[in-house]
Amino acid sequence: MNVIQKLFRSSLGKKTIMAITGILLFGFVIVHMLGNLQIFLGADVINTYAAFLKSKPALLWVARIGLLVLVGLHIGSAVQLSRQNRAARPIPYGDAKHPGASYASRTMLMSGLIVLAFIIYHLLHFTVAVPGVNLLGASAQLPNGDFLQLKDATGHQDVFRMLVLGFSNVWVSGFYIVGMALLCMHLSHGISSLFQSLGIRQHFCGQCLDRLAMLLAAIIFIGNSSIPIAILLGYGR
Amino acid sequence: MNLTLKVWRQKSANSPGRFQDHTARNVMPDMSFLEMLDVVNEELAERGEEPIAFDSDCREGICGACSLVINGIPHGGNAGTATCQLHMRHFHDGQTITIEPWRARAFPPVKDLVVDRSAFDRIIQSGGFVSVNTGGTPDANALPIPKVDQELAMDAAACIGCGACVAACKNASAMLFVAAKVQHLALLPQGKVEANRRVLSMVEAMDAEGFGACSVTGSCEAVCPKQISLDFISRMNRDYLKA
């Protein structure tokens, strides 16, 4: 059997794809969070960082397409595996209990789908910056309601003010925090279970992996949610 | 004590099943769960009703024949024991107990609480063996095996193939069973020779039987009467990727 067949045909192969794409996507989430946290270093720092990223369009697009492929493989495998899993128990239990299974581990598909909905909104909100989705309307601070027209003194796009304005809406911030909570739950199971799928769990202590996953997931939640929370509490306004 | 049993009754594979209430009277705390069912069945037979069909054989936790999902948990929820080793002292007077069969597409119903677990046999037939002529028993120290590997192989070989892992898994996955059967051979020199071929064909057979995939929830490990570790699944995943 060749490698491609093994990866895409068997349930174990699909789990391997989930694990590898999962690690890479988690890596992106970490880098993305560190980039975002520069908001606490002031407007200049984060605006210069954003301008630096935008100044390398080739690199930016390679990263974007790469992420799209990773997300596609992750979701594609998840959908196939979920269908196989559903089909494996046609008659449900009358009295279903789940000994030893955490809530997060049983709801990976649902938490994943909610995170996907969040990511789509997030892209429309800040990346494509569709004026209609920011729920702010046109104001003196934001002509046409368009984030991309915000410029700072040096002519760079003003990401700092975009975030401050964007998160000044309680509903938008609330959805971001909910999205991060679901991502946190997804990662709290995903990070430890990928060790299993890649076949290296036996070299670690299982409980330590579970705790490590919870710690990393909590760091992602606190780090990312701190931005809308800080802005709602008045930071940058 | 007296108990109400909510039991899954199903005449045959093709007829629809449903829960039916039965009463277990004068149950002694020292009875095993299966003995309690035997008493209920005697009463049913005396009244001319159809007894409850369930699997059992050795009744000492080593054969893997007994099953039953009791109050939502395969083998009833006592760590490291099978249904036959579950005693009625864990229940109280007046309690209602739900009893269901293993539920999985790969384990089609036969009657009442009995399901057809021959999918496991077909997985074993696909590679869960060692193809050498055994001859006479070798000398004990003729083939040195590291202590750690011996112990691990014995832990995996403790699997009695009851199918509780499948019954407990939200995906009805057979990964813990297959991993145990792959690993107890792969860890020993006699089994290493065919390790690659074995893991590939046993995983293929497992998928073909219609079991689900592993979501690493840990339910299988929690209900396993032989407490087989999730680590064996990880070892099988590694062997599969390497093969």
Side-chain angles (χ1 to χ4, degrees), chain A residues 1 6-7 9-13 15-16 81 84-85 87-102 105-106 189 193 195-204, chain B residues 19 69 71-72 98 100-105 166-167 169-172 175 200 203 206-207 210-217 219 222-223 230-231 233-235 237-238 240-241 243:
Chain A
M1 202 189 303
K6 234 171 25 178
L7 281 180
R9 291 272 178 80
S10 76
S11 58
L12 267 67
K15 288 299 292 187
T16 313
L81 286 165
Q84 181 187 345
N85 296 344
R89 176 162 295 136
I91 308 171
Y93 285 110
D95 182 6
K97 292 207 184 75
H98 307 280
S102 68
S105 73
R106 291 185 282 117
H189 178 65
S193 87
F195 284 84
Q196 175 93 333
S197 300
L198 293 176
I200 47 177
R201 184 182 191 266
Q202 68 275 18
H203 302 304
F204 306 87
Chain B
F19 284 105
V69 174
N71 286 338
T98 312
E100 298 178 74
W102 285 177
R103 294 198 193 278
R105 182 160 71 111
V166 176
C169 176
K170 78 175 183 69
N171 306 334
M175 287 285 276
L200 290 175
V203 167
M206 172 183 80
D207 281 345
F211 291 106
C214 179
S215 288
V216 203
T217 68
S219 285
V223 303
L230 273 182
D231 283 357
I233 298 183
S234 181
R235 287 172 180 276
N237 287 340
R238 182 202 55 195
Y240 181 80
L241 294 172

Side-chain angles (χ1 to χ4, degrees), chain A residues 29-49:
Chain A
V29 167
I30 291 272
V31 172
H32 188 34
M33 180 184 77
L34 293 176
N36 289 344
L37 285 175
Q38 294 179 60
I39 190 176
F40 293 117
L41 301 176
D44 287 343
V45 176
I46 192 161
N47 289 353
T48 315
Y49 170 67

Side-chain angles (χ1 to χ4, degrees), chain B residues 44-65:
Chain B
L44 286 175
E46 274 172 22
R47 290 207 302 268
E49 291 174 43
E50 187 72 17
I52 303 162
F54 63 90
D55 270 324
S56 76
D57 193 2
C58 75
R59 301 208 176 191
E60 54 183 15
I62 55 170
C63 78

Side-chain angles (χ1 to χ4, degrees), chain A:
Chain A
M1 202 189 303
N2 67 41
V3 179
I4 302 294
Q5 266 187 329
K6 234 171 25 178
L7 281 180
F8 288 92
R9 291 272 178 80
S10 76
S11 58
L12 267 67
K14 286 173 198 158
K15 288 299 292 187
T16 313
I17 294 177
M18 298 292 295
I20 293 172
T21 53
I23 293 185
L24 296 172
L25 289 169
F26 174 64
F28 167 75
V29 167
I30 291 272
V31 172
H32 188 34
M33 180 184 77
L34 293 176
N36 289 344
L37 285 175
Q38 294 179 60
I39 190 176
F40 293 117
L41 301 176
D44 287 343
V45 176
I46 192 161
N47 289 353
T48 315
Y49 170 67
F52 164 75
L53 290 182
K54 289 254 165 123
S55 70
K56 308 260 184 288
L59 215 64
L60 190 67
W61 278 103
V62 167
R64 282 175 174 172
I65 292 169
L67 283 170
L68 197 67
V69 170
L70 290 179
V71 169
L73 283 170
H74 198 73
I75 295 175
S77 304
V79 167
Q80 286 184 3
L81 286 165
S82 297
R83 290 173 60 135
Q84 181 187 345
N85 296 344
R86 292 269 158 87
R89 176 162 295 136
I91 308 171
Y93 285 110
D95 182 6
K97 292 207 184 75
H98 307 280
S102 68
Y103 184 74
S105 73
R106 291 185 282 117
T107 52
M108 288 300 273
L109 184 68
M110 215 18 93
S111 58
L113 287 174
I114 297 171
V115 169
L116 175 67
F118 164 76
I119 292 171
I120 292 170
Y121 177 76
H122 176 51
L123 290 175
L124 292 175
H125 187 211
F126 283 146
T127 310
V128 187
V130 177
V133 303
N134 60 35
L135 306 185
L136 293 171
S139 65
Q141 282 181 305
L142 195 62
N144 315 324
D146 186 357
F147 285 145
L148 296 182
Q149 289 183 12
L150 294 169
K151 301 284 177 204
D152 68 4
T154 57
H156 289 147
Q157 200 197 325
D158 196 345
V159 174
F160 184 82
R161 267 213 298 152
M162 173 173 89
L163 291 172
V164 171
L165 285 171
F167 287 137
S168 63
N169 183 303
V170 178
W171 296 104
V172 171
S173 287
F175 185 49
Y176 269 76
I177 294 167
V178 170
M180 281 309 112
L182 269 297
L183 177 64
C184 168
M185 205 170 90
H186 197 74
L187 290 175
S188 74
H189 178 65
I191 294 171
S192 76
S193 87
L194 67 85
F195 284 84
Q196 175 93 333
S197 300
L198 293 176
I200 47 177
R201 184 182 191 266
Q202 68 275 18
H203 302 304
F204 306 87
C205 91
Q207 245 188 354
C208 309
L209 288 179
D210 292 346
R211 287 202 193 123
L212 173 76
M214 279 186 207
L215 178 71
L216 290 173
I219 289 173
I220 294 290
F221 175 71
I222 294 166
N224 280 331
S225 303
S226 67
I227 298 169
I229 290 172
I231 288 169
L232 282 180
L233 294 176
Y235 177 76
R237 282 203 239 176

